[in-house]
Amino acid sequence: MGNDKKVIFSGIQPSGSLTLGNYLGAIKNWTTLADEYNCYFCIVDMHAITVSKEPKDLRKNTLEVLANYIAAGLNPDKVTLFIQSHVSAHAELGWVLNCLTYYGELGRMTQFKDKSKKQQNSNITAGLFTYPSLMAADILLYQTDLVPVGEDQRQHLELARDIAIRFNNKYSKTFVVPEPYIAKIGAKIMNLQDPTIKMSKSDTNDKSYILLTDDDDEIRRKFKRSVTDSLGIVKLSNDQPGIKNLLGIYSKITGETIESIVERYEGKGYSIFKDDVAEVVVNELRPLRLKREELLKNKDYLQEVFQKGAEKAENTARKTLRKVYKKVGFIPRY
Ligand code: AQP
């Protein structure tokens, strides 16, 4: 990895099995970046415990996310794949940045408002509230230039930028101020039962999402039952959010333009269209599933990958943390 390359950082929470949304909105785009950028792709397990998790599920999901990264085409010899809790600098910088982040800023984060509503305002942890300052630490530790994020994460990235600028102004230039990286074809994949909200792995309705672990028939069934409308015309319209979502999924996977898809399904009705979208998804996810299952049988290899990744990440992260500690006035131990 050349030092002259711009740095990219992104991550996914192992808060459940990954969805088609995580794949099309994040991982699939990342696979196109490995040659041009110095990429760090993290499994952010410390973020996952901001909402209560069964330890055995967290362990299983963490390895599954790593296997998904590799199965989707992220080559661990070209990009740094690692687990957040293995690099303690994330927690350490997270604390320093917590002390530079204002209560009011965190309270304005829409993801905090949404997620705390889901918990019906009971058992909302301080970790969920301060999640964005830990996310800022994740990004700033690697002197990240670009962060590929979905629309849903944009507000958090804005805050990370504000915190970086605040630190640089207070203590002198320390952090690169990161910019959002906009994928050539963006995608926000919506919930199959309520296409006005995004598809999420922690949704309680399992018909609302396609998981990367779903088998072919499960995927077909879920698309058949996906909520559309009563118009019966396949076209791109904000008044038809269900069809709009299916068009987006089809186009993102095949690379065909929405106009050309719409033209082909003129007068054909929803049933054929839904079946064809399902087939496109089945064909995209089947090789990924087989590869992931293969990788999960080889735990030694996965361990080798995450250990090597943590070592590489740690080297860079420690350098940044050392500078930060010095600037805020901590006395070095040695
Ligand atoms: N539906 C989506 N469409 C497009 N992109 C999506 N991403 C998530 N859902 C969609 C992208 O996946 C990356 C990491 O997601 P995450 O797991 O760290 O957090 P999240 O955005 O909160 O994802 P979920 O599935 O909704 O998780 P839970 O249910 O645990 O909160 C990000 O780049 C995100 O844009």
Side-chain angles (χ1 to χ4, degrees), residues 11-13 15 21-22 25 115 150 152 187 189 198-202:
I12 293 187
Q13 301 181 67
S15 44
N22 297 126
K115 288 200 173 178
D152 52 315
I189 309 303
K198 82 162 184 166
M199 183 182 284
S200 263
K201 58 176 119 62
S202 57

Side-chain angles (χ1 to χ4, degrees), residues 122-299:
S122 65
N123 303 326
I124 298 161
T125 66
L128 186 63
F129 190 62
T130 60
Y131 176 117
S133 27
L134 180 59
M135 178 167 156
D138 301 337
I139 296 167
L140 301 181
L141 272 176
Y142 300 95
Q143 304 296 355
T144 301
D145 297 288
L146 297 164
V147 185
V149 278
E151 226 16 74
D152 52 315
Q153 290 289 343
R154 212 178 247 271
Q155 199 187 20
H156 289 163
L157 180 59
E158 273 305 317
L159 183 60
R161 286 171 51 82
D162 290 346
I163 297 171
I165 294 168
R166 192 171 302 153
F167 190 100
N168 288 348
N169 287 342
K170 185 165 180 188
Y171 298 107
S172 81
K173 171 108 176 67
T174 309
F175 296 122
V176 168
V177 180
E179 300 282 341
Y181 175 90
I182 312 295
K184 282 193 188 86
I185 312 166
K188 186 168 177 190
I189 309 303
M190 309 307 274
N191 182 306
L192 295 183
Q193 293 300 310
D194 176 359
T196 61
I197 57 172
K198 82 162 184 166
M199 183 182 284
S200 263
K201 58 176 119 62
S202 57
D203 202 290
T204 47
N205 180 356
D206 67 358
K207 290 189 206 74
S208 72
Y209 47 60
I210 301 291
L211 295 180
L212 302 189
T213 47
D214 287 343
D215 65 26
D216 296 355
D217 285 341
E218 189 83 48
I219 296 173
R220 292 185 183 110
R221 258 197 308 275
K222 287 184 180 177
F223 275 108
K224 254 191 211 318
R225 289 180 196 158
S226 66
V227 168
T228 47
D229 55 72
S230 53
L231 274 175
I233 303 164
V234 177
K235 65 177 167 62
L236 187 69
S237 158
N238 287 335
D239 298 333
Q240 294 172 257
I243 291 297
K244 184 178 173 188
N245 187 34
L246 298 184
L247 280 166
I249 292 171
Y250 194 118
S251 163
K252 177 83 185 173
I253 293 177
T254 60
E256 189 177 349
T257 63
I258 302 256
E259 297 75 51
S260 135
I261 303 165
V262 165
E263 210 172 288
R264 204 144 33 79
Y265 286 93
E266 202 187 326
K268 287 199 179 146
Y270 290 166
S271 175
I272 295 174
F273 178 55
K274 281 184 176 181
D275 287 350
D276 287 0
V277 175
E279 246 14 73
V280 161
V281 173
V282 161
N283 288 327
E284 176 81 4
L285 296 189
R286 192 187 294 125
L288 182 81
R289 190 173 64 238
L290 296 176
K291 183 89 211 286
R292 185 192 53 245
E293 283 166 5
E294 205 50 48
L295 285 162
L296 284 169
K297 284 185 206 146
N298 192 348
K299 298 276 188 310

